[in-house]
Amino acid sequence: MSNILLIVLWRRAEDLPLDIREKAAYVGTAYSADVVNHVVKALYEIYTHVDTVVVYGPDLSGAGDYVVQALRGECNDAVRVPCQYIKELGVQVVDLRWRDDNTLREVVAMLYKPRNTPARERREVALEPPDKRLQYRGPHVIYDPDPATLRAKAVDYILTYGVETRDVIYSVLILQRGDGGGYAAGPCDLLEDWPCGLGRADVFMATPAYVKKRELQKAAALVDVGIYGRDVYDPHGNFVLADSLYHYSPRGVLLRQIELTEVNVRREAQKLLPDHAFYLGREYAAYRILKERYVQDRWKGEF
């Protein structure tokens, strides 16, 4: 059995020359760093005789850095398996990103040493569910006429997108409870200082709003997801999903009726929060570019 597993970045495995593919135990395509978790799982559960992993192809998104680092034993941000499996993997990693097929052919021929004995003990590896926060440093507007609900939404936002420091998690928030025009500004501890400046103004610019890290459990208890089921018009407008995507103004004027398609939902979602987009099943950029040639999901099917 071949001792080589080949990860191909941003290129279909079938496009590689057959004489190269025939020397690999498995050839798989990857567009994101998360694929390293499925590779590690496969190396422990299926390809126990593989002692060499080659990472090849154009690293268009930079995900290859995470893949190479993790396979070399570094438990980085992309890893969703217990770190002991990363540190004990013990494979030789050959980084051939941005190289050509001839170089790949030469390296594979040199490293190809079929073996029948396992390179590592077989183990079952469970993938941990992702639980990371995207730290967003831009300002964000949150509206609700009910002060308790407004605080809960602010806490929920910080727990999702807040920036982490040694003692607190914070965001720059514009908290609005009405449209009277008065505003105040200043820092706001959402647990200890509430309602901050909203006791005398309709808009409070929290610079920043924050939650102490020692009080995260208490803060999370304030968030009831049911608050998002309320009909509340806010400065972002209000999107209603029905037979179409209806966009209302803060006072309920129907602004747009948008055809309910995946592309339109993505378009509107991306405009709600700069530098971030809703994930609707596949890596958006990769799928948009490759369309029917998108094949990363095959890793999950194989492993």
Side-chain angles (χ1 to χ4, degrees):
M1 292 181 284
S2 172
N3 65 314
I4 297 173
L5 189 144
L6 178 56
I7 301 173
V8 184
L9 302 174
W10 286 86
R11 182 177 172 185
R12 292 197 310 171
E14 304 92 283
D15 291 340
L16 289 180
L18 180 61
D19 63 309
I20 296 177
R21 287 185 280 130
E22 287 179 336
K23 287 185 169 62
Y26 186 82
V27 183
T29 299
Y31 305 114
S32 74
D34 191 64
V35 76
V36 74
N37 297 292
H38 302 282
V39 172
V40 170
K41 182 178 176 67
L43 288 172
Y44 275 109
E45 295 183 358
I46 302 174
Y47 301 108
T48 56
H49 55 284
V50 167
D51 58 22
T52 302
V53 178
V54 178
V55 181
Y56 176 72
D59 191 6
L60 300 178
S61 65
D65 286 337
Y66 286 106
V67 174
V68 170
Q69 291 166 6
L71 293 175
R72 286 177 173 167
E74 180 180 332
C75 199
N76 58 38
D77 288 342
V79 171
R80 292 195 292 117
V81 300
C83 285
Q84 70 180 83
Y85 293 110
I86 296 295
K87 295 176 181 177
E88 298 173 3
L89 187 58
V91 294
Q92 177 184 5
V93 181
V94 182
D95 185 357
L96 292 182
R97 289 175 290 171
W98 301 104
R99 306 296 290 273
D100 57 38
D101 287 355
N102 287 332
T103 302
L104 176 64
R105 179 180 288 107
E106 293 173 4
V107 171
V108 167
M110 179 180 63
L111 297 174
Y112 180 61
K113 298 175 182 177
R115 57 184 297 165
N116 294 317
T117 57
R120 72 196 61 80
E121 178 185 353
R122 187 187 184 282
R123 303 190 214 176
E124 295 288 334
V125 179
L127 299 187
E128 299 170 349
D131 185 22
K132 295 182 175 69
R133 183 175 60 259
L134 174 69
Q135 299 190 65
Y136 177 67
R137 289 173 167 79
H140 184 69
V141 179
I142 302 176
Y143 172 88
D144 201 289
D146 177 62
T149 303
L150 182 58
R151 178 168 73 157
K153 288 182 176 181
V155 168
D156 192 26
Y157 182 87
I158 287 175
L159 295 181
T160 305
Y161 297 113
V163 178
E164 186 171 349
T165 67
R166 184 181 64 181
D167 301 318
V168 305
I169 298 176
Y170 75 90
S171 293
V172 176
L173 298 179
I174 301 170
L175 304 174
Q176 183 174 354
R177 68 170 188 172
D179 55 5
Y183 72 91
C188 175
D189 183 328
L190 289 172
L191 270 63
E192 297 181 3
D193 298 339
W194 191 257
C196 302
L198 286 171
R200 60 184 186 277
D202 288 317
V203 178
F204 181 72
M205 291 180 283
T207 54
Y210 63 92
V211 173
K212 293 185 177 72
K213 292 172 75 172
R214 67 171 182 267
E215 296 181 320
L216 289 181
Q217 187 172 0
K218 181 179 177 182
L222 291 175
V223 181
D224 176 5
V225 295
I227 62 178
Y228 294 103
R230 297 167 61 245
D231 290 329
V232 176
Y233 296 116
D234 65 32
H236 298 109
N238 193 39
F239 287 91
V240 177
L241 287 166
D243 57 322
S244 295
L245 184 64
Y246 295 92
H247 185 196
Y248 291 88
S249 76
R251 297 185 63 186
V253 175
L254 182 59
L255 303 174
R256 294 181 296 158
Q257 180 177 336
I258 306 162
E259 183 183 1
L260 191 58
T261 66
E262 183 179 359
V263 170
N264 283 341
V265 171
R266 291 183 190 279
R267 178 185 180 188
E268 300 305 321
Q270 289 179 65
K271 288 188 285 189
L272 292 178
L273 180 61
D275 300 325
H276 189 56
F278 282 84
Y279 180 83
L280 299 180
R282 296 186 175 105
E283 288 85 351
Y284 177 46
Y287 184 63
R288 182 180 62 180
I289 294 170
L290 298 173
K291 296 183 174 61
E292 71 278 356
R293 292 181 289 123
Y294 178 96
V295 294
Q296 171 149 299
D297 288 344
R298 294 182 190 174
W299 283 100
K300 299 175 183 179
E302 291 286 341
F303 300 155

